[in-house]
Amino acid sequence: MCNGVFLPHIFVNQELTFSSLVDQVHQVNESVRAHAGRVLDNHLAVRNWLIGRYIVEYEQHGQDRAVYGEKLVQRLSQILTHQIGRGFGQRSLELSRQFYLAFRLIPQTLSAESGQWLTSGPNIRQDLPALLQAFPLGWSHYVSLLGIRSAEARRFYEIEATANQWSVRELERQINASLYERLALSRSPEDVRRLAHEGLVIEKAADLIKDPLILEFLGLEDQPAYSETDLESAIIDHLQAFLLELGKGFLFEARQKRFTFDNDHFFVDLVFYNRLLRCYVLIDLKRGKLTHQDLGQMQMYVNYFDRQVKLPDELPTVGIVLCHRKNDALVELTLPQDSLIFASRYELYLPSKAELKAKVEEVEAVWASKKSRHQ
């Protein structure tokens, strides 16, 4: 590792062939180029935010702004493209303007205040560290974030993409899979607001739960042709994507984990460990409708791990029954309020944002009703 760049290790005691020399040069080139690309993308975000601020400041304070009117961006694009070259198209400049308007609340440590930018401009040498800290993602990430209308959701995805080092592709998948809305479904309005300011903070077992989990990456059609074994095998084949969907801190330990007592053998479909909570997380897969027997079986699995597997300084085991259909009333009736057993649905297709939004509003209404009754 050299200033953030991964350099492949060359074993000096290994007899190098010409082919291995070519491979080493290729790896170094790809590693440095990828790092340079990330750095450039990050600096592009800062540059475009500054351009957006210039445009907005001009619209508000420019003495001759009436000359251009609504065609300001078009005219600016023509001149900059002629003087500088590619990269200053009308669409790019409009995105920069939108970027500044959406992310204008940054640390107040810049050298030039509002109204002075058209004459004095920023001190780039002084302001760059603060701006790079304020915008930790690359420009490609922020282009994706600009498509989110809700400022709270946009801030949540920025925090999570930064903390988890999501690629642009993974960020777009999480946005399309409505991660923010799915997390909001199981949280109070106060906790939803915390999501927007701090991202997903794992402090208790309930923080691990998403309902539903979106498993479109498994490639299984939503039909009765596949079995629970097919589902389990597909998850193992796409384990990295499944771990990302589960959330922060998950480590995979085993599939079909067997334990025995009284000469009877039992198998837990999937066993994970969460390093943030320091506890085991057991997942049982159910292809059909959830039953109270499924919850009872998971309780037995959790009891076994708590009594026979977990260490004294580890937190109690969490059990998740992952099913295609569930009845919330059945779950509430079967499990005690302080239970660490959870039931979560899975979907094999990306959810409708309108449907999820309606569910979030429904949950918020229930929370508001409960709160008013207790006041």
Side-chain angles (χ1 to χ4, degrees):
M1 186 71 69
C2 179
N3 294 326
V5 183
F6 173 75
L7 299 179
H9 182 66
I10 299 178
F11 295 96
V12 294
N13 61 344
Q14 175 183 340
E15 183 178 351
L16 290 176
T17 63
F18 182 78
S19 176
S20 65
L21 172 63
V22 172
D23 289 341
Q24 292 287 357
V25 173
H26 180 76
Q27 290 177 34
V28 169
N29 178 69
E30 291 301 310
S31 178
V32 173
R33 186 169 66 174
H35 176 76
R38 289 192 295 271
V39 172
L40 176 61
D41 206 25
N42 189 210
H43 281 70
L44 277 177
V46 171
R47 184 205 70 170
N48 292 342
W49 185 89
L50 290 171
I51 290 173
R53 178 162 182 171
Y54 269 120
I55 293 172
V56 172
E57 289 290 337
Y58 178 81
E59 290 173 335
Q60 296 175 354
H61 303 288
Q63 294 180 359
D64 60 344
R65 61 189 182 280
V67 174
Y68 298 136
E70 295 180 355
K71 295 188 177 181
L72 167 62
V73 172
Q74 179 182 354
R75 177 61 174 157
L76 182 62
S77 171
Q78 292 172 349
I79 293 176
L80 291 176
T81 300
H82 176 72
Q83 293 181 349
I84 303 176
R86 296 176 57 184
F88 295 94
Q90 188 172 341
R91 172 61 178 164
S92 297
L93 293 180
E94 182 55 39
L95 277 175
S96 296
R97 180 181 178 277
Q98 294 175 18
F99 183 36
Y100 172 71
L101 291 174
F103 291 87
R104 63 199 308 171
L105 298 178
I106 66 169
Q108 300 300 311
T109 57
L110 301 185
S111 57
E113 295 301 323
S114 178
Q116 301 176 7
W117 278 55
L118 292 176
T119 55
S120 63
N123 184 327
I124 297 298
R125 184 183 297 274
Q126 176 181 326
D127 295 337
L128 186 58
L131 286 167
L132 288 173
Q133 186 175 7
F135 301 115
L137 299 174
W139 174 237
S140 304
H141 289 82
Y142 285 109
V143 170
S144 297
L145 292 173
L146 286 176
I148 303 173
R149 291 187 178 183
S150 165
E152 291 79 10
R154 190 165 55 239
R155 177 59 179 154
F156 165 79
Y157 285 113
E158 182 186 20
I159 293 172
E160 289 298 302
T162 302
N164 297 291
Q165 298 184 329
W166 286 345
S167 64
V168 175
R169 181 177 180 181
E170 180 59 27
L171 171 62
E172 291 179 346
R173 180 194 172 271
Q174 297 291 2
I175 294 172
N176 291 333
S178 303
L179 174 62
Y180 178 76
E181 289 81 2
R182 286 186 288 137
L183 290 172
L185 285 175
S186 59
R187 285 161 171 79
S188 69
E190 291 78 10
D191 287 338
V192 172
R193 283 188 284 271
R194 187 182 180 190
L195 283 175
H197 290 92
E198 302 178 30
L200 179 58
V201 179
I202 306 297
E203 295 179 336
K204 55 186 184 299
D207 295 333
L208 301 175
I209 305 305
K210 296 175 188 172
D211 190 11
L213 263 69
I214 306 302
L215 308 181
E216 90 290 349
F217 51 82
L218 298 182
L220 295 173
E221 296 184 9
D222 193 8
Q223 58 185 12
Y226 68 90
S227 65
E228 291 167 5
T229 302
D230 295 329
L231 178 60
E232 179 186 317
S233 297
I235 287 174
I236 296 300
D237 290 342
H238 299 81
L239 187 58
Q240 182 178 5
F242 185 69
L243 287 171
L244 285 172
E245 174 62 15
L246 282 179
K248 295 180 179 178
F250 278 94
L251 306 172
F252 176 66
E253 178 170 304
R255 66 184 295 191
Q256 290 298 311
K257 180 77 171 182
R258 189 180 84 167
F259 63 92
T260 303
F261 58 87
D262 290 343
N263 293 323
D264 289 323
H265 303 300
F266 300 89
F267 298 86
V268 183
D269 289 339
L270 299 170
V271 178
F272 296 88
Y273 189 84
N274 189 276
R275 61 182 180 82
L276 299 179
L277 289 184
R278 297 194 71 249
C279 69
Y280 283 98
V281 180
L282 314 181
I283 294 182
D284 210 23
L285 305 172
K286 298 300 176 184
R287 176 65 185 89
K289 183 178 179 181
L290 180 72
T291 68
H292 69 277
Q293 290 94 337
D294 297 328
L295 298 172
Q297 177 176 269
M298 177 55 76
Q299 183 66 68
M300 180 188 65
Y301 293 166
V302 165
N303 290 344
Y304 175 83
F305 266 74
D306 279 344
R307 297 168 188 175
Q308 303 295 331
V309 180
K310 89 173 187 69
L311 299 176
D313 61 336
E314 292 177 326
L315 292 180
T317 305
V318 176
I320 302 174
V321 182
L322 193 57
C323 56
H324 199 44
R325 292 183 296 155
K326 72 165 184 170
N327 184 322
D328 289 328
L330 173 68
V331 176
E332 186 175 348
L333 183 64
T334 304
L335 299 175
Q337 291 185 345
D338 58 350
S339 174
L340 294 181
I341 309 295
F342 301 91
S344 184
R345 292 182 302 113
Y346 68 85
E347 299 287 354
L348 298 176
Y349 56 87
L350 294 177
S352 161
K353 288 187 179 294
E355 179 184 2
L356 277 173
K357 181 181 178 182
K359 289 182 179 179
V360 171
E361 292 174 348
E362 180 182 339
V363 170
E364 289 178 343
V366 172
W367 277 106
S369 176
K370 289 182 179 179
K371 188 173 181 179
S372 62
R373 286 200 303 266
H374 288 85
Q375 288 179 343

